[in-house]
Amino acid sequence: MTKRSLRARIGAAARAFKAGLPFHGRSDGGGFLSSWRAGTLPGSAVDWEREAGDPTENGAVAVCLGWIGDNFPEPSLCVERTDAERPAERVHGHALLRLLENPNPYYDGDALLSATAMSYAAWGNAYWYKGRNAAGRVTELWYVPHWQVRPCWGEGEFLSGFEYRVDGVTHRWRPEDVVHFRFGFDR
């Protein structure tokens, strides 16, 4: 695919909206946002995602993603225990909070949350891989770029696992080893 100018991509998006395409759901129940994220608008044969190009190559989008990446990790995280008969109770020193501060030996929690938020905002999917010790306890969290992971469905199963592709090699991961942040069910 040839790279198109920002002006051409913005023009293509503007023409889609000027054409008065309907803003209702697809026949599969995905809804307008589902259709938009899938690259087509209801009633259109044009693949607008292809026409607009990679959103991260758009300067305005890049600025927004940078802001999201800088600001998403800012709030202090907490874990609360809830019970139907009592108000929520904050759990101090929870293992998840310690893990999110230092998710692995190579980067801190801010980097993990920042990359996750940017993948989610740009593409509607973000993934973490759970590294486990010999006893099976989660001891590490790793951000995995959304373009390298694909959910897989088995016969009669909602989700049978994930495929992770790197350096031309596909690895199969169990569902319990992946945290998948997703926008709806369309991707």
Side-chain angles (χ1 to χ4, degrees):
M1 181 171 98
T2 61
K3 291 202 178 222
R4 297 178 43 159
S5 71
L6 174 61
R7 183 179 181 142
R9 287 184 280 173
I10 291 172
R15 284 190 300 280
F17 287 105
K18 280 184 181 176
L21 297 173
F23 284 71
H24 54 75
R26 297 185 314 197
S27 60
D28 65 2
F32 168 72
L33 285 176
S34 175
S35 299
W36 178 254
R37 288 187 178 279
T40 61
L41 291 172
S44 175
V46 176
D47 182 349
W48 292 108
E49 182 175 347
R50 186 181 56 75
E51 289 293 320
D54 182 350
T56 60
E57 292 179 7
N58 178 313
V61 171
V63 168
C64 293
L65 290 176
W67 184 90
I68 289 168
D70 287 344
N71 289 284
F72 187 78
E74 288 301 314
S76 296
L77 300 177
C78 71
V79 173
E80 291 184 344
R81 182 174 289 121
T82 59
D83 188 320
E85 292 148 24
R86 291 182 290 207
E89 173 186 340
R90 188 169 281 194
V91 180
H92 298 281
H94 193 278
L96 177 60
L97 295 176
R98 289 192 303 274
L99 185 58
L100 286 172
E101 283 180 23
N102 295 297
N104 62 62
Y106 296 96
Y107 49 83
D108 64 11
D110 285 355
L112 174 71
L113 293 174
S114 178
T116 302
M118 289 190 289
S119 275
Y120 182 83
W123 294 104
N125 283 295
Y127 298 91
W128 292 348
Y129 179 76
K130 300 176 193 176
R132 298 179 186 270
N133 63 14
R137 286 188 57 140
V138 176
T139 57
E140 297 176 339
L141 293 174
W142 295 88
Y143 164 75
V144 183
H146 58 272
W147 61 86
Q148 292 181 296
V149 181
R150 184 176 77 82
C152 300
W153 292 267
E155 197 170 310
E157 294 180 89
F158 177 72
L159 178 67
S160 63
F162 293 87
E163 287 184 355
Y164 168 61
R165 187 163 178 79
V166 64
D167 295 331
V169 179
T170 301
H171 304 273
R172 182 75 177 210
W173 289 340
R174 301 174 305 170
E176 59 268 22
D177 290 334
V178 176
V179 179
H180 180 192
F181 302 94
R182 66 179 179 255
F183 182 88
F185 289 100
D186 62 332
R187 288 197 177 218

